[in-house]
Amino acid sequence: MQAIRQEVGSDFHLQAKISAVDYNNVLPWEKPGNSLQDSIQVCQWLERDGVDAIHVSRGSTFPHPLLPAGPFPFQIATSTYDTMISSAQWRTLLNYFLFRSPLLRPFFKCIWNRLERPWQSPITGDRIEAASLSKFFQEQISATELQDLLARYQGTVIEDARAIKQRINIPVLCTGGFQQASLIRQALQEGFCDGVTLARTLVANKDLAHQFAAGKDIPERPCTYCNQCLGSYLEYPLGCYDLSRYYKRSTEGANPADRAKATTEAHEAMIQEAMQVYTPPPQPFSPVQSQ
Ligand code: SF4
């Protein structure tokens, strides 16, 4: 850190992201890794060495079963993880075979789900009103189900962030599925952190900050924490790939052809939304032509 600071100068924002608790023992044969106390010590050293802010996360791997919290995206990872093979070490290959094989997948699932979710969030956002969600979204996920998802996956690291914040004097940012203005406000007001960071929830709603500014507590089509985007970005443009967020069930007809049409429309809407951020739109790339 001292060397980086020397290189970038004193007016360059230098931030460190840290796994507050490693939970490395998600693999039963590994040791747990850094504890919260270890990380507090590291953050104190980082502050001493001139870091401007700390960004608190969780888990010694990415993805880790506890962050980004949510299910492992088996279906999509099966088709995209092969990209990693060219730089593979034996563990990458092992992972790949575990996803791919229907026989071995239960073993992977067992490992993925073996750690208990260690938090009971000390704060919750406002109650979700059905009227605040899009009609089509509710055809897939009701307000009650969404409330449950938020309780499981939103703000999961704020206790750790607060423990670190209490022991250092530089700003502390916190990650963890935030997408509800009332919960973020509470986290800031009650001193859990100085700011929150958003990834998946911005992928799902790239105008999220504008929606908050307009007075919404939650977007009308929130992120469902399905983690399909994590599996996709290895090969596809970064975007939300949860088809259910685009599906309009009440418009589908009774026969299979109508259902296929509704699925195609949802798929096209999903791709169109993912591609909106690319200006100008991406062009096909051929290494042969470019030579
Ligand atoms: S694919 Fe979409 S809904 Fe699923 S986690 Fe990513 S952003 Fe959220």
Side-chain angles (χ1 to χ4, degrees), residues 200-201 203-204 222-230 239-242 245-246:
R200 290 172 298 174
T201 54
V203 170
C223 168
T224 60
Y225 305 105
C226 70
N227 284 339
Q228 298 287 343
C229 49
L230 289 186
C240 174
Y241 290 90
D242 180 1
R245 292 187 62 248
Y246 305 89

Side-chain angles (χ1 to χ4, degrees), residues 24 47 57 63 66 79 102 106 126 160 165 170 184 196 202 205 222 234 241 249 253 266 268-269:
N24 199 35
E47 180 182 14
S57 184
L66 301 183
S79 67
D126 290 349
D160 297 345
K165 182 173 159 53
I170 50 177
I184 297 170
V196 299
L202 267 187
N205 288 281
L234 292 172
Y241 290 90
R249 185 163 300 284
E268 279 171 5

Side-chain angles (χ1 to χ4, degrees), residues 224-265:
T224 60
Y225 305 105
C226 70
N227 284 339
Q228 298 287 343
C229 49
L230 289 186
S232 312
Y233 82 93
L234 292 172
E235 290 191 358
Y236 308 140
L238 181 62
C240 174
Y241 290 90
D242 180 1
L243 197 63
S244 72
R245 292 187 62 248
Y246 305 89
Y247 203 83
K248 299 181 174 175
R249 185 163 300 284
S250 54
T251 65
E252 75 179 16
N255 64 56
D258 284 345
R259 267 190 232 123
K261 184 166 168 272
T263 306
T264 304
E265 281 172 2

